Amino acid sequence: MSQDETTVLLQHHLKALKLPTILREHEAMARLCAKERSSYNDFLLKLTERELMDREQRAADRRLRDAKFPVLKTLDSFDFTAQPSINEAAVRELTRGEYLSGRENVLIVGNPGTGKSHLATALGHAACMQGNRVRFFTVTGLVTQLLEHREERNLQRLHRQLERNRFLILDELGYVPFTKAGAELLFDVVSRAYERNSLIVTTNLPFEQWTEVMGSERLTGALLDRLTHRVHILEANGESYRLQDSKKRRKKTGK
Ligand code: ADP
Ligand code: MG
């Protein structure tokens, strides 16, 4: 077989085996290894390492895309000094993801603008990087989807989709009260997650006021019971970050 024929066949096989990185890099790597007089094993090891690394990166990118974070935020850009009530050590511990194996929940409570969504997204990002499937919802967005699926009689399909995730982020509980049906459907999600996976919930409401959005006291009690059975609570009781930021800027410009 000629050199050209070998290359064409090899490239065909690499495509069929779905090894895009080896396909792209094998010629350059072969030249490098020839120059360095590396062994065949070395050559193969280097190529498979590259393929593996790229594959992990592609999978992590896919998980980040599928999580549908509204804005991608990480802890690197979170300023803990601006929100001293948030326990930095506890947050860093949570990014290790051990709460996921214990099906523990995280509840982030605080006023608007105190970084709740930022922290929830950062925990979601960390979990994606560790190989977990995550899905971000605003609570109202999720309830709307639940109601739509119920209307179309394919609620079970949505539940199965949700359950494929290691955990769900439910952002902004408390901004809009639910209808009775909406509250019950949300309770269903929390109740199913209790058996299977973790939830991160952000809210501006203290527990006493949850009945106001859920409607029924009994349902709120049952929901809180499941949500708080194994829970890490982060409380941001400082001022809005945007407000602090604009005050600082005003001070600087003297306006
Ligand atoms: P919340 O969800 O509590 O209303 P967000 O997480 O949406 O607040 O925060 C509002 C904006 O301020 C976002 O752009 C967020 O990244 C930023 N922010 C809030 N707190 C901090 C912080 N401590 N350090 C850095 N950025 C912050
Ligand atoms: Mg928010």
Side-chain angles (χ1 to χ4, degrees):
M1 206 184 291
S2 76
Q3 189 80 6
D4 281 353
E5 279 169 333
T6 309
T7 307
V8 169
L9 259 184
L10 173 62
Q11 296 193 340
H12 168 270
H13 294 348
L14 289 172
K15 263 186 218 156
L17 289 166
K18 296 198 169 51
L19 298 167
T21 307
I22 299 186
L23 175 67
R24 201 177 56 239
E25 296 192 5
H26 71 94
E27 285 186 320
M29 186 66 83
R31 280 193 298 276
L32 182 74
C33 285
K35 204 168 123 206
E36 290 179 351
R37 296 174 188 278
S38 312
S39 68
Y40 292 129
N41 271 350
D42 244 357
F43 167 69
L44 196 55
L45 176 65
K46 284 200 177 95
L47 279 181
T48 47
E49 263 172 5
R50 296 268 175 100
E51 185 69 56
L52 211 55
M53 266 162 45
D54 278 5
R55 189 171 287 189
E56 275 162 17
Q57 185 63 50
R58 284 195 300 274
D61 289 346
R62 201 174 324 120
R63 283 193 298 273
L64 283 179
R65 253 196 330 272
D66 291 349
K68 300 210 161 65
F69 297 117
V71 196
L72 195 56
K73 303 261 175 176
T74 64
L75 271 199
D76 294 342
S77 60
F78 194 82
D79 177 5
F80 283 94
T81 59
Q83 209 56 250
S85 60
I86 294 281
N87 180 342
E88 177 171 358
V91 175
R92 298 217 177 268
E93 175 64 31
L94 285 172
T95 58
R96 288 153 44 96
E98 276 163 23
Y99 66 102
L100 295 171
S101 34
R103 284 175 291 139
E104 295 156 11
N105 298 326
V106 180
L107 198 60
I108 311 177
V109 192
N111 290 328
T114 50
K116 301 183 298 295
S117 302
H118 187 142
L119 284 173
T121 305
L123 290 178
H125 175 268
C128 278
M129 294 326 247
Q130 288 153 10
N132 299 292
R133 290 176 63 117
V134 178
R135 182 75 164 82
F136 184 106
F137 289 97
T138 61
V139 175
T140 37
L142 175 63
V143 170
T144 306
Q145 280 200 35
L146 288 161
L147 287 164
E148 280 169 8
H149 278 75
R150 194 183 63 148
E151 195 81 2
E152 293 158 13
R153 300 190 177 282
N154 57 7
L155 202 51
Q156 286 310 318
R157 217 182 88 212
L158 180 58
H159 277 302
R160 278 198 301 277
Q161 269 175 31
L162 296 178
E163 280 155 17
R164 246 181 273 143
N165 294 287
R166 190 71 191 270
F167 77 87
L168 304 176
I169 298 176
L170 308 183
D171 195 34
E172 298 191 347
L173 184 112
Y175 284 86
V176 188
F178 308 116
T179 57
K180 182 164 179 290
E184 283 169 5
L185 288 170
L186 180 68
F187 173 76
D188 258 359
V189 172
V190 172
S191 175
R192 283 168 173 254
Y194 177 74
E195 306 291 343
R196 298 173 179 84
N197 37 29
S198 298
L199 292 172
I200 294 187
V201 178
T202 80
T203 182
N204 60 334
L205 285 187
F207 291 141
E208 311 84 77
Q209 287 172 31
W210 283 35
T211 312
E212 290 166 26
V213 286
M214 291 296 289
S216 133
E217 207 160 298
R218 192 184 47 80
L219 201 61
T220 310
L223 179 120
L224 277 176
D225 191 51
R226 284 158 180 76
L227 204 59
T228 57
H229 180 199
R230 302 173 291 254
V231 75
H232 303 264
I233 298 180
L234 301 173
E235 209 171 342
N237 56 24
E239 214 176 27
S240 153
Y241 185 77
R242 291 195 197 96
L243 199 65
Q244 292 182 39
D245 208 44
S246 68
K247 273 188 194 162
K248 249 189 266 166
R249 252 179 290 137
R250 248 176 290 155
K251 230 188 227 164
K252 247 190 227 159
T253 55
K255 280 181 205 156

